[in-house]
Amino acid sequence: MSRAECPREQEVLDAIASSRWPSRLGEDLARHVDGCAFCKDLGFVAETLSSDFSSAIEQARVPTAGLVWWRAEIRTRQESLRVASRPITLAHYVGAGSAAVVALTLLLTLIDFGNLASFSLFNLIPDSLPIPMIFGTLGAFAILASIALYVVLSDK
Amino acid sequence: MMRDLTLSELEQLQPQAADDTLQMDEDAFRTLYERTARPLWAYLWRRTGSAQIADDLLQETYYRLLRKRVTHESEAHRRNYLFRIAANLANDVYRSRREHNHFPEESDPEHPSVPAVAEGSRRQDLDRALATLSGRHRDALWLAYAEGASHAEIAEKLGLKVRSVKLILFRARRKMAKLLRGEES
């Protein structure tokens, strides 16, 4: 017999809950279970899982609620810090990139004028230096640096 | 009123980083934790076959609950939500193991016929049987007969209709009984 339900299902579950399965079912229920595949499977599976659960609960060594709460708080703060520091990291990259552009511009300018050998801070700006390019680069750097400063000093 | 999230929606669930506060007060959390932590750990242990992973997933489950801004209409709803987070985390672990072909021997669904050693053989048989069942069948059986949940509670936790639960339990139970008796591998 293979039905999807049996009217005596609850009796079997009650017997398991009260530790009467399988030896103290009572004559009538025991006879029914013998002839009912539904109740036989139900009793077998439910008792196996129920006793396994009891054993697992006994072995469970869970951390205290306070510890789980504290870890969650710490992780929340770390997460907030990570989110807040994203713009700072970006500003670092922008600053480094800008500095590299300025340095490269200066270097190319010096090479272009053949003055690399006689380079000094005093002859850094030759007469024919492309002033607009230098000032443009420095201006861009100043704007980016101020944005970076604003991001660093703002709360988030 | 919040509608029930489906399991697939919960699979997409990530801790919410937009707010740096936890979404419960500590006393309420303690009460919930005392009632739910041990059964939840037992479930995670059974699902993953590893106490270490169960410990980690337990922490992660409560963290996600605490971080997610959801209005729970009742304590039961919050507990169901908690179970779904745990079930999805356990599913993630299972999928990851399957991708990397890494299963602890005692819960390897690919090798359900590994002979059990004498000591603890019943538990190992149960591990193998549970690992062989589908996630829905496994969770339904666990909730019904380990945790003693009603059909309505199981339906709520698994996002099913109540009338479907009876049939799912019947099929799951029949398969489980065959696996435990060694009639099916």
Side-chain angles (χ1 to χ4, degrees):
Chain A
M1 185 161 47
S2 183
R3 307 170 300 188
E5 58 188 330
C6 174
R8 305 196 72 171
E9 176 178 357
Q10 194 55 48
E11 288 179 64
V12 172
L13 293 175
D14 290 344
I16 292 166
S18 57
S19 305
R20 289 185 287 114
W21 178 275
S23 54
R24 293 186 293 124
L25 288 181
E27 197 179 328
D28 181 45
L29 185 58
R31 197 167 42 243
H32 167 77
V33 169
D34 267 349
C36 176
F38 179 96
C39 287
K40 205 178 278 179
D41 283 354
L42 172 68
F44 180 44
V45 170
E47 196 278 330
T48 302
L49 283 167
S50 173
S51 61
D52 180 71
F53 180 66
S54 301
S55 148
I57 287 286
E58 278 173 24
Q59 293 179 57
R61 298 285 178 269
V62 297
T64 62
L67 182 60
V68 172
W69 177 267
W70 178 75
R71 283 176 181 159
E73 276 191 326
I74 295 287
R75 196 169 150 194
T76 303
R77 284 182 203 148
Q78 287 174 337
E79 182 68 18
S80 301
L81 192 64
R82 194 177 62 78
V83 170
S85 64
R86 264 186 220 145
I88 298 173
T89 310
L90 182 67
H92 284 166
Y93 283 120
V94 169
S98 303
V101 168
V102 169
L104 189 64
T105 307
L106 285 171
L107 186 65
L108 289 174
T109 305
L110 291 171
I111 290 171
D112 189 38
F113 286 91
N115 287 336
L116 195 57
S118 59
F119 170 74
S120 81
L121 285 175
F122 298 105
N123 63 5
L124 189 61
I125 307 175
D127 293 343
S128 54
L129 185 75
I131 297 296
M133 189 168 81
I134 293 291
F135 277 99
T137 307
L138 289 174
F141 180 71
I143 290 167
L144 289 170
S146 59
I147 292 171
L149 196 63
Y150 169 78
V151 170
V152 169
L153 295 178
S154 64
D155 287 335
K156 214 174 186 181
Chain B
M1 283 273 282
M2 194 198 88
R3 74 174 176 84
D4 284 341
L5 290 174
T6 64
L7 286 176
S8 59
E9 284 171 326
L10 269 161
E11 278 168 10
Q12 304 300 319
L13 181 64
Q14 290 297 321
Q16 196 158 330
D19 195 333
D20 56 2
T21 58
L22 301 175
Q23 302 298 317
M24 277 179 88
D25 68 68
E26 190 171 353
D27 287 342
F29 174 74
R30 281 177 187 276
T31 305
L32 175 76
Y33 185 85
E34 297 303 334
R35 286 182 187 158
T36 55
R38 291 164 78 85
L40 201 61
W41 185 90
Y43 167 76
L44 290 167
W45 184 39
R46 269 284 157 264
R47 283 292 311 271
T48 62
S50 160
Q52 172 79 52
I53 295 173
D55 289 345
D56 293 345
L57 293 189
L58 188 76
Q59 177 73 44
E60 182 66 22
T61 300
Y62 285 104
Y63 176 71
R64 291 191 181 198
L65 178 82
L66 286 168
R67 290 289 273 153
K68 192 70 183 169
R69 251 183 289 176
V70 174
T71 306
H72 298 284
E73 62 202 45
S74 65
E75 184 63 21
H77 190 273
R78 193 193 295 275
R79 291 169 76 153
N80 294 341
Y81 190 76
L82 187 70
F83 178 83
R84 288 205 204 179
I85 296 172
N88 280 285
L89 288 171
N91 288 340
D92 288 346
V93 168
Y94 176 77
R95 272 194 292 269
S96 170
R97 283 173 170 172
R98 193 174 52 186
E99 280 168 17
H100 299 98
N101 201 23
H102 173 70
F103 288 93
E105 189 175 280
E106 70 270 25
S107 64
D108 185 350
E110 302 299 322
H111 304 96
S113 58
V114 173
V117 292
E119 190 177 337
S121 65
R122 189 183 187 200
R123 213 192 83 195
Q124 290 191 350
D125 288 344
L126 181 58
D127 279 341
R128 281 191 208 92
L130 286 171
T132 306
L133 296 175
S134 71
R136 179 169 286 183
H137 282 183
R138 184 172 44 223
D139 287 347
L141 285 179
W142 182 265
L143 289 169
Y145 306 123
E147 298 195 15
S150 68
H151 289 183
E153 287 168 332
I154 296 168
E156 172 81 13
K157 280 187 163 121
L158 301 184
L160 300 168
K161 291 190 167 63
V162 177
R163 62 175 177 271
S164 305
V165 171
K166 195 177 276 190
L167 191 60
I168 285 172
L169 278 176
F170 171 68
R171 288 177 179 158
R173 209 166 45 224
R174 195 167 53 177
K175 186 170 176 80
M176 178 85 156
K178 282 182 179 172
L179 288 164
L180 288 173
R181 290 182 185 121
E183 295 166 12
E184 190 175 305
S185 63

